[in-house]
Amino acid sequence: MPEIRNYTLNFGPQHPAAHGVLRMVLEMDGEVIQRADPHIGLLHRGTEKLAESKPYSQSIGYMDRLDYVSMMCNEHGYVLAIEKLLGIEAPVRAQYIRVMFDEITRILNHLLWLGAHAIDIGAMTVFLYAFREREDLMDCYEAVSGARLHATYYRPGGVHRDLPDTMPQYETSRWRGQKDVDRLNEIRQGSMLDFLEDFSRRFPGCVDQYETLLTDNRIWKQRTVSIGVVTPERAMQLGFSGPMLRGSGVEWDLRKKQPYEVYDRMDFDIPVGVTGDSYDRYLVRIEEMRQSNEIIKQCIKWLRDNPGPVMLDNHKVTPPKREEMKADMESLIHHFKLFTEGYCLPEGEAYAGIEHPKGEFGTYIISDGANKPYRLKIRAPGFAHLSAMNEMACGHMLADVVAIIGTQDIVFGDVDR
Amino acid sequence: MRNGWLQPIADAVKLLFKEIIVPTNASRTLFFIAPMLSLAPALAAWAVMPFADGMVLADINAGLLYILALTSMGVYGVIIAGWASNSKYALLGAMRSAAQIVAYEIAMGFALVGVLMAAGSLNLGDIVRAQQGAWTTGWFVWPLIGLFLVYIISGVAETNRSPFDVAEGESEIVAGFHVEYSGMAFAVFFLAEYANMILISALTALLFMGGWLSIFPQSWAQTPYIGWLIGDGIHWFLLKTTFFMFNFLWFRATFPRYRYDQIMRLGWKVLIPVTLVWIFAEAAAIALGWKPWLS
């Protein structure tokens, strides 16, 4: 008699729903998942090891490339750990700018998540809507750092430079006539803050738009309600953080519980779920976008009224001004030293965790007193979430695995590092 | 070019010239029969479609039966493609498709039974002619609104279009039954899908919305110059067909995809009971002679 065996399906690494390079070996009984075995490492770039061979400030760019949809938040975690070990603090204006860009990044991340999650479940339009708004936020990244994705904008001791007074403009091309360009540039005439303020006024309406397509949609609910349920106890045991933990009903948010930068001056709420299923996590993230928008508004208001330095005046850590450098010998020396050997951190270790859009993003630096870290350990939130894949997917159907990957908001840049 | 109107043509040319890759372990004969088997019935069914009064290739009395028989053939293309590819994703797609078609063919068949009971004929031309009346009162969509909705839903399911596209479900089983196809063989599957879509839209227009019949009263057709526009004619049929085709695309853009077991539940537990009840109510109405709704 032939032996009856389960069906093994190789899901990924080249799969439209694999969110990059997730490879899963699924053991299935018909369409029902018996075991899901995620394989990682296909996007391993050795970020932690690379950082050991470079002066501290040269590794900031690598942090952008960890979770490549929430770039500045990664930088924030790293920069904060360095500042902690150096015992310095960024000027208040820089802290506000950081908070503002953290929240812009949170919206960027959640928009991508929403689009990808919806398209995994089969709803196409949400994806297009989400990318329309992402474009505007990318323009803010571009205005402030010159790069749309990998900004390298946060520096130990502040941020690279103050917010710009102009926005990058669209130009005419073979595909875009003068009329289109004028329409696109209309909101880009003022400073970056004007543009962002206009965006924050428009954005709640956009979220309503996504919600009309999904929140009360019968099919969307059938596909997400009671899929991938995680109890609050289990979520904590598994090391969940961020919306994955809050979706299960645990009210834990580093922005409130261990405020860093100026989050203690901000007025916002933490949404929590009830049942811990995919639908609750969806609602939590949608509400987080609205709350982030509120934080951005508060930051814009403060930043308009309070000009000031955005970088520390301590030239052992931060580069001197360009014009000073031309005339002042000490500044020239500082500049040369900073951009060749960097700065040394005192011997010791420091951990800085921030509320990354996906959860707690932690950076742990051990310094032996040199200009390079002795060891850098990155705690990526996605790693813990992916580890729960088997538990969340067992007993569900193949189509639900896709929904669970979506709800976990997996990005392989930070899982594999 | 501007606005990308040449893109579909470029796509077609590209697919024509691409190599058709046959997987090593595929069953070669079946692998090539499958796409033909899915396109041919979709095109053959047009033989009995009346575009306007008398404008029909084969005016046969068993027209509706012929269409029902041919559209059922299409699923063999999908199943054979899934089997012949010798790929796990393709097999899953084929199995899903087989189960889905069985469920929805029944609901669709029952919806058609309601139409032919009301029209008293299997000839598509006669069915349309039975829908004549003042304004649109004669259309079967009004007395058979439940069957009409069931027919639309199962029509979308039959053609494997979103939100019922589990047979290809690109985010779950990549492309389902046609995952191993490339070049023209793949294009033929695509053509079959769209041919089926147009066929179902045209059928809906014929069976429920009065085909080539105008929405205006007959007497208005005597108006000088624009009378031919107002009166019955092929343009009404095309307009109604286009409307349903638009709906197909609209559904795809709006709805998330059902899960495979949810589709089964909808088919067996909702659509089939609705059609059964409706047919009994309709039979009672006909037996009691309730006019003018059902002639």
Side-chain angles (χ1 to χ4, degrees), chain A residues 11 14-20 22 120 401-403 405-406, chain B residues 170-172:
Chain A
F11 185 101
Q14 311 232 337
H15 189 283
H19 285 216
L22 169 62
D120 281 351
V401 172
V402 176
I405 297 173
Chain B
E170 74 274 356
S171 61
E172 297 151 25

Side-chain angles (χ1 to χ4, degrees), chain B residues 187-203:
Chain B
V188 167
F189 271 120
F190 240 75
L191 286 176
E193 181 175 333
Y194 278 80
N196 270 319
M197 221 170 88
I198 299 171
L199 183 72
I200 293 284
S201 307
L203 269 179

Side-chain angles (χ1 to χ4, degrees), chain B residues 39-188:
Chain B
L39 181 62
L43 296 180
W46 283 95
V48 294
M49 301 288 263
F51 291 89
D53 205 358
M55 198 193 283
V56 51
L57 204 61
D59 193 11
I60 53 172
N61 277 331
L64 200 56
L65 207 58
Y66 170 76
I67 282 183
L68 209 56
L70 275 184
T71 47
S72 312
M73 282 294 287
V75 67
Y76 284 102
V78 173
I79 295 173
I80 290 174
W83 177 257
S85 304
N86 202 0
S87 149
K88 288 180 176 179
Y89 286 118
L91 187 64
L92 270 178
M95 292 299 117
R96 285 174 169 198
S97 174
Q100 182 185 336
I101 299 277
V102 168
Y104 282 81
E105 195 87 340
I106 296 172
M108 201 173 183
F110 274 133
L112 294 184
V113 167
V115 172
L116 62 92
M117 275 163 70
S121 170
L122 277 168
N123 183 311
L124 285 168
D126 289 343
I127 291 176
V128 175
R129 277 184 283 273
Q131 299 182 51
Q132 262 156 353
W135 298 93
T136 66
T137 48
W139 292 7
F140 289 154
V141 63
W142 308 124
L144 305 179
I145 184 85
L147 294 182
F148 169 73
L149 293 176
V150 169
Y151 184 81
I152 293 260
I153 295 171
S154 38
V156 177
E158 281 277 283
T159 46
N160 285 330
R161 294 286 297 182
S162 176
F164 301 101
D165 57 344
V166 289
E168 25 184 304
E170 74 274 356
S171 61
E172 297 151 25
I173 48 173
V174 193
F177 61 94
H178 59 53
V179 68
E180 299 291 349
Y181 282 85
S182 60
M184 208 50 212
F186 168 77
V188 167

Side-chain angles (χ1 to χ4, degrees), chain A residues 7-12 14-17 28 30-31 118-126 174-177 180 213-214 217-220 222-223 227 396-400 402, chain B residues 1-3 87-93 95-96 162-166 169-175 249-263 265-266 270:
Chain A
Y7 199 59
T8 314
L9 188 76
N10 198 15
F11 185 101
Q14 311 232 337
H15 189 283
M28 301 197 300
E31 285 235 359
I119 212 161
D120 281 351
I121 294 185
M124 273 195 353
T125 308
V126 187
R174 277 174 66 198
W175 298 277
R176 217 175 242 143
D180 291 337
L213 277 169
L214 298 178
N217 186 323
R218 211 183 147 79
I219 306 178
W220 179 259
Q222 283 185 1
R223 288 299 306 277
I227 300 297
H396 286 306
M397 300 186 84
L398 178 60
D400 296 327
V402 176
Chain B
M1 281 311 268
R2 267 197 103 136
N3 305 327
S87 149
K88 288 180 176 179
Y89 286 118
L91 187 64
L92 270 178
M95 292 299 117
R96 285 174 169 198
S162 176
F164 301 101
D165 57 344
V166 289
E170 74 274 356
S171 61
E172 297 151 25
I173 48 173
V174 193
L249 303 183
W250 196 10
F251 290 157
R252 185 177 70 165
T254 314
F255 291 128
R257 185 182 304 115
Y258 268 111
R259 203 172 59 207
Y260 158 72
D261 61 320
Q262 290 162 348
I263 288 188
R265 198 168 57 205
L266 181 72
V270 180

